Amino acid sequence: MWRFVLFYIRKIKQAYYTACYRKLYILSNEQFPENELGKNSKLALYLTNTYIYDFKNDLAGINEEELKKFKKIADNDEWIKKTVSDLYRMISFSFIIDTNFKDKYLKKAKEFKADIEPIKEFKEITKLVDDVKKDSKIFFKEGRELNDKKYQQEIEKRISSIEVTSQDISFLLTLFSTLFLISGIIYSKLYFYLLGVNISDFFSINDYLASSIDTLIITFFSIAIGIIFYFLGAKDRLKTTIYEEQFSTESASRKKLFYNIIVISIVCIISFFVSYYKHNALHYNLLYPPILFVFFRFFWSIPIWQYFKNPEKIGLILMSFSTFIISLILTALTYSTEILKKEVKDDTCRVILNNTNIDTSNLVFITSNSSNVFMLDVSTKKVKIIPLYNIESIETKVPK
């Protein structure tokens, strides 16, 4: 029975240690609000070791004047006095045979609270432990709220609200219009370049504008992704940086997020190669997550931000534009690969020519513009460009 009591006392000692540390952490931050959180944490840890294990650890990184002042405050805190005293009363209770140790720990308990009595029944211990565990949970919640408040104060010191003026709105509208046109040019040039065609010889500005409609969803999607990554990433990056500065360590959440993204990226890359191996299909969109991961991982590390007066706005524009370009390129690669794999049976359109001498049996429809129809010869994998005046009609095939 007493061996069990002794084992139980050793086990609950850690619970008391955790509760005392959490309480002392709150007290240290109340007493020294201007300190970094890490410094206050060291003060709390030092006193916790002193109270619970009667052990004085290294003073490295601790201000001795602050420690002296803080110990005086902690020694007079009613919760600390009662809790540490109760712990030594429990330890005293566990020594039923060795009266010397029993008296020693009871005397230690009275150093914190002189009017205490020895514990007489084991059920009193379980009640005290339950109370301390409840208190510990409350202190943990208060400590997190305290940390969040400190993070928010630091964030407000370092960044100001982004003011959006009417000029900014006009600029964004102009930017979107420009991206709209650029998307058509980039997409068409890259798409047909992969098919072996210099599209500049066959497209006018109006044709590029028309083709940009096909990339409209990509444009919206990319800009939205860029904005989301900017605001989430910038705030998370700043909060993580503040955490690391406050505690002089690397954030565990940063490590966890980093590893999770690596796993997702590896899965996407493996899926890309498996898809090619099994189905002979290159789904370039699977490479979007790992490419974005690499890009955003090093985006804020580029040594250019100190040269901008308003890096937040510039970062937002560059991030949106970059996600847009990446998405556009991967989409063009995917579509060009898919069209090269098409067979006649896969064609969704039937092109009827005026000139019946031209054999269209091996041709599949790609797209058209204001002056030409573009078709792929499935046997040679080359693009055939037919002027519109040779086209009698283009009919949509009814799926079977």
Side-chain angles (χ1 to χ4, degrees):
M1 171 66 180
W2 293 110
R3 286 185 178 180
F4 167 75
V5 172
L6 187 60
F7 173 77
Y8 183 71
I9 295 297
R10 288 175 179 173
K11 186 176 180 181
I12 64 174
K13 202 169 186 179
Q14 182 59 43
Y16 269 71
Y17 182 94
T18 301
C20 281
Y21 164 74
R22 290 172 176 174
K23 175 64 175 179
L24 289 168
Y25 180 68
I26 293 170
L27 289 177
S28 64
N29 280 285
E30 289 175 351
Q31 183 62 35
F32 308 109
E34 299 303 318
N35 273 3
E36 293 176 354
L37 297 175
K39 288 184 177 180
N40 289 336
S41 177
K42 286 181 179 179
L43 287 171
L45 281 172
Y46 187 92
L47 283 192
T48 304
N49 283 325
T50 302
Y51 289 145
I52 305 300
Y53 292 110
D54 198 20
F55 166 71
K56 296 181 180 180
N57 53 343
D58 190 3
L59 282 170
I62 296 178
N63 185 305
E64 292 188 41
E65 289 297 321
E66 288 183 351
L67 178 61
K68 184 178 179 181
K69 183 178 180 181
F70 181 48
K71 188 176 187 307
K72 185 176 180 181
I73 293 169
D75 286 345
N76 289 287
D77 183 86
E78 287 300 322
W79 188 92
I80 291 292
K81 290 194 297 184
K82 180 183 182 307
T83 302
V84 177
S85 177
D86 286 342
L87 176 62
Y88 285 115
R89 288 170 65 211
M90 293 179 201
I91 297 174
S92 173
F93 177 78
S94 67
F95 289 101
I96 189 64
I97 299 175
D98 195 330
T99 55
N100 288 331
F101 275 105
K102 187 178 184 70
D103 293 340
K104 173 186 174 182
Y105 283 106
L106 186 61
K107 182 180 178 181
K108 186 76 175 174
K110 289 185 176 183
E111 290 178 7
F112 290 90
K113 205 166 178 63
D115 58 345
I116 55 95
E117 295 293 333
I119 293 176
K120 297 178 180 179
E121 295 182 357
F122 184 76
K123 64 180 181 180
E124 186 179 347
I125 292 178
T126 58
K127 174 66 168 59
L128 290 172
V129 172
D130 288 341
D131 290 342
V132 163
K133 286 182 177 180
K134 290 177 183 177
D135 290 340
S136 185
K137 290 179 180 179
I138 295 172
F139 298 151
F140 176 73
K141 184 179 179 181
E142 290 179 4
R144 290 190 66 173
E145 291 173 353
L146 188 150
N147 287 353
D148 290 338
K149 184 178 179 180
K150 183 75 170 181
Y151 297 150
Q152 191 59 41
Q153 289 173 348
E154 291 297 319
I155 289 173
E156 290 173 359
K157 286 180 185 178
R158 302 185 190 201
I159 62 172
S160 56
S161 300
I162 299 177
E163 182 182 358
V164 180
T165 64
S166 57
Q167 290 83 357
D168 292 328
I169 294 174
S170 299
F171 172 74
L172 289 174
L173 290 174
T174 303
L175 176 65
F176 179 76
S177 300
T178 304
L179 286 178
F180 187 63
L181 175 59
I182 291 175
S183 67
I185 295 173
I186 294 176
Y187 176 77
S188 299
K189 280 185 171 292
L190 179 60
Y191 178 68
F192 279 98
Y193 173 79
L194 295 169
L195 298 178
V197 178
N198 182 6
I199 204 63
S200 300
D201 298 333
F202 305 98
F203 267 55
S204 65
I205 291 296
N206 290 333
D207 293 327
Y208 285 123
L209 283 171
S211 65
S212 64
I213 295 175
D214 295 332
T215 62
L216 187 61
I217 295 178
I218 299 173
T219 305
F220 272 119
F221 173 77
S222 302
I223 291 176
I225 289 293
I227 292 173
I228 291 170
F229 267 94
Y230 171 78
F231 284 109
L232 293 181
K235 186 175 181 179
D236 181 70
R237 179 177 63 91
L238 183 56
K239 187 174 180 179
T240 301
T241 300
I242 291 171
Y243 172 89
E244 292 173 351
E245 291 174 354
Q246 290 290 318
F247 289 97
S248 301
T249 186
E250 187 174 357
S251 169
S253 61
R254 182 194 288 256
K255 290 180 179 179
K256 184 177 179 180
L257 177 62
F258 181 77
Y259 292 136
N260 287 342
I261 294 176
I262 285 180
V263 170
I264 293 171
S265 299
I266 291 174
V267 169
C268 289
I269 293 171
I270 292 173
S271 300
F272 174 80
F273 287 107
V274 169
S275 176
Y276 175 72
Y277 177 76
K278 286 191 172 182
H279 309 291
N280 195 27
L282 292 171
H283 295 290
Y284 289 97
N285 287 333
L286 287 171
L287 298 178
Y288 193 57
I291 290 174
L292 281 186
F293 163 65
V294 173
F295 173 75
F296 288 118
R297 176 69 178 83
F298 298 102
F299 182 77
W300 292 107
S301 302
I302 303 172
I304 61 172
W305 304 113
Q306 66 269 27
Y307 301 111
F308 293 100
K309 185 178 179 181
N310 52 350
E312 293 88 6
K313 292 181 181 179
I314 299 298
L316 173 59
I317 293 169
L318 289 178
M319 195 169 284
S320 299
F321 183 74
S322 299
T323 54
F324 158 70
I325 292 296
I326 293 170
S327 178
L328 204 62
I329 291 173
L330 292 177
T331 302
L333 287 167
T334 300
Y335 287 174
S336 63
T337 302
E338 288 177 355
I339 199 68
L340 288 172
K341 290 185 63 180
K342 267 194 172 185
E343 300 294 336
V344 175
K345 61 182 177 63
D346 302 321
D347 199 6
T348 57
C349 293
R350 180 187 176 198
V351 179
I352 302 174
L353 306 180
N354 292 323
N355 189 346
T356 56
N357 294 325
I358 300 177
D359 182 16
T360 61
S361 59
N362 286 327
L363 301 182
V364 295
F365 178 79
I366 298 176
T367 189
S368 64
N369 63 9
S370 60
S371 55
N372 298 288
V373 171
F374 300 84
M375 303 189 74
L376 177 73
D377 189 323
V378 296
S379 58
T380 63
K381 301 301 179 184
K382 291 184 178 180
V383 176
K384 182 166 287 191
I385 303 166
I386 304 172
L388 274 180
Y389 58 77
N390 280 334
I391 306 298
E392 180 177 316
S393 64
I394 301 177
E395 301 174 355
T396 303
K397 291 183 179 179
V398 179
K400 294 183 180 180

